[in-house]
Amino acid sequence: MRLLPRKHVLQYDWLIHLFAASSLLFPVIFLTSGSSSNPWQLVLLQPLFLVQWYHGFWQGERHVAGHYIILNLLASWAMSMHWSGAVFFLFGQVHLLKLSRFFWASLALCMQAIWVVLLAWWWQLPAVFSAVFFLLIVFGGHANYLFFRHVNAQRDMLIAQEELEYLFRERERERIARDLHDILGHTLSTIALKAELAEKLIAANQIEVSRSELKDIAETARTSLADVRQAVTGYRSGNLRSEVALAQRSLASAGVQAQIPATLPNRISREVENVLSLIIREAITNVIRHSEASQCSIRLFNKLDRWHLIIADNGVGWGGEYGNGLTGMSERVAVLGGKLSMENQHPGTSLHAVINQLIQGGSDENN
């Protein structure tokens, strides 16, 4: 049987149970004080306080008023038998920890303090007793309430931090999955095309040309392996020039005439360059695999502090569905505040990516 709820913020605080155990001293004080009242009344009353006190940790805010009144009535009865019974007023404060508004908790504490002072006056207890318990209830009660709220706030902050860490890990997994898809999808398509070409060249007894294709396959595989390692560790950064050069070679191997920009921008941020490189890689892979195009063009320019990447072909056109590749590209662009769109042309398809991010060192036009 658990004394405190499993997820309670104080479930592992041994001071809570030490405070509860200290209540056993007050019946002892009552029994040894020579009081003329029946000493066993207070002894039997003490377990009721412990049950109500621990019960308070399990209750919600809507049960605070009823339980708080019951505990204060029991404490008044205990105080009527002996002054040490006033300590049980402190046990009633456990229910106030459930209140979300400080005003109601403070009001309840002040009313409890005034009630104890009135009882002390009625039973003609010393003035020092009234002063001590007034200060204990008002200042001690407020300190306990505020400390409990502070501990709760820390717990909520830790929970929120754990959720953020979980979301970050999920986002990192998705990023790595997109990177691997973008890298391996394009590279394996290129290797497959070059391997088929090398096979045909060997069959045609063009050994030297086939050797050149096999060297390209080996170089492409090594580059892809390095990219995969960097992507997994999270440090891969796309190189726009090498990506455009690789796209040109891949298109040429597939028999597609490529129109590539003669110059590329120099003052582009690393994040934008990485995303643009991956978009080029994925788009060229789609052109080679699905478009059946004979021509493909790549345009990259900056206009009004927005990068525009347009990749167009004269193939069979876009089917209207977003696969893993297009979805990954859209997510990458959205992270940088941009937008990716696809349009069917007559003939072919046009991919247009717009990224709303300033380039490093200013803006320039590259058409």
Side-chain angles (χ1 to χ4, degrees):
M1 179 179 178
R2 299 183 59 86
L3 295 176
L4 297 180
R6 185 176 300 276
K7 295 183 178 181
H8 198 277
V9 69
L10 297 177
Q11 62 175 320
Y12 300 117
D13 195 337
W14 59 272
L15 289 174
I16 295 297
H17 307 295
L18 180 63
F19 180 73
S22 67
S23 65
L24 298 173
L25 297 174
F26 301 108
V28 174
I29 294 174
F30 182 80
L31 290 172
T32 58
S33 64
S35 173
S36 59
S37 302
N38 184 356
W40 295 105
Q41 289 180 348
L42 187 57
V43 174
L44 295 176
L45 188 62
Q46 191 268 345
L48 294 179
F49 278 99
L50 283 181
V51 171
Q52 280 289 320
W53 189 70
Y54 276 112
H55 186 61
F57 289 103
W58 295 82
Q59 300 305 307
E61 187 172 357
R62 60 191 182 94
H63 299 109
V64 167
H67 287 83
Y68 187 67
I69 291 173
I70 291 174
L71 278 178
N72 277 283
L73 291 176
L74 290 174
S76 300
W77 182 25
M79 184 177 171
S80 69
M81 291 183 282
H82 193 267
W83 64 267
S84 63
V87 176
F88 290 117
F89 281 103
L90 303 179
F91 282 78
Q93 296 174 5
V94 66
H95 294 283
L96 301 182
L97 302 179
K98 296 288 184 178
L99 294 176
S100 57
R101 294 188 60 184
F102 174 77
F103 172 78
W104 295 114
S106 179
L107 179 62
L109 288 170
C110 292
M111 291 179 64
Q112 186 186 62
I114 293 172
W115 177 247
V116 171
V117 171
L118 290 175
L119 291 178
W121 172 78
W122 180 259
W123 289 314
Q124 299 180 353
L125 295 175
V128 66
F129 171 90
S130 301
V132 168
F133 269 88
F134 182 87
L135 294 177
L136 277 176
I137 293 173
V138 173
F139 292 102
H142 282 84
N144 289 333
Y145 178 80
L146 294 176
F147 175 75
F148 185 78
R149 286 186 62 175
H150 172 71
V151 173
N152 261 332
Q154 283 188 320
R155 182 194 62 176
D156 294 341
M157 182 180 66
L158 290 175
I159 293 174
Q161 184 177 357
E162 290 178 356
E163 292 177 353
L164 287 175
E165 290 176 354
Y166 171 78
L167 293 175
F168 175 78
R169 288 193 299 268
E170 288 298 311
R171 182 175 177 181
E172 188 67 9
R173 291 191 188 102
E174 294 175 358
R175 182 195 68 79
I176 292 175
R178 288 196 301 266
D179 285 354
L180 293 177
H181 175 272
D182 294 343
I183 296 169
L184 295 180
H186 173 81
T187 303
L188 293 178
S189 296
T190 302
I191 290 175
L193 288 170
K194 286 184 173 291
E196 292 174 1
L197 179 58
E199 184 180 7
K200 293 177 182 179
L201 291 171
I202 292 173
N205 203 26
Q206 299 183 23
I207 304 301
E208 294 300 325
V209 181
S210 63
R211 285 179 179 174
S212 176
E213 293 297 332
L214 290 174
K215 288 181 180 179
D216 284 346
I217 291 174
E219 181 63 28
T220 301
R222 283 192 293 268
T223 303
S224 177
L225 180 60
D227 285 345
V228 168
R229 288 172 177 170
Q230 291 176 348
V232 171
T233 56
Y235 293 107
R236 184 170 62 82
S237 178
N239 185 290
L240 200 56
R241 284 170 174 75
S242 62
E243 198 63 51
V244 169
L246 181 60
Q248 188 172 19
R249 292 198 303 269
S250 299
L251 290 171
S253 298
V256 180
Q257 183 182 354
Q259 298 177 5
I260 306 297
T263 60
L264 291 171
N266 295 318
R267 294 177 295 169
I268 184 171
S269 68
R270 183 175 180 180
E271 294 84 358
V272 173
E273 183 177 11
N274 186 37
V275 171
L276 292 176
S277 299
L278 293 172
I279 291 174
I280 292 174
R281 177 173 296 191
E282 178 66 25
I284 296 303
T285 300
N286 290 339
V287 170
I288 294 173
R289 284 181 177 177
H290 310 298
S291 71
E292 300 178 12
S294 60
Q295 294 181 352
C296 179
S297 64
I298 300 176
R299 296 179 59 207
L300 176 63
F301 58 92
N302 184 276
K303 185 176 182 180
L304 298 178
D305 293 329
R306 294 184 179 185
W307 284 107
H308 294 256
L309 173 64
I310 301 175
I311 302 175
D313 63 71
N314 63 345
V316 296
W318 177 48
E321 296 182 357
Y322 277 76
N324 290 333
L326 286 176
T327 301
M329 286 191 289
S330 299
E331 292 173 353
R332 293 177 189 278
V333 172
V335 168
L336 297 182
K339 182 179 180 182
L340 184 140
S341 60
M342 297 283 294
E343 293 182 2
N344 277 321
Q345 301 183 135
H346 300 285
T349 306
S350 174
L351 178 148
H352 188 186
V354 182
I355 298 179
N356 304 324
Q357 181 167 316
L358 294 176
I359 59 174
Q360 294 177 344
S363 64
D364 61 345
E365 293 283 340
N366 291 286
N367 292 293

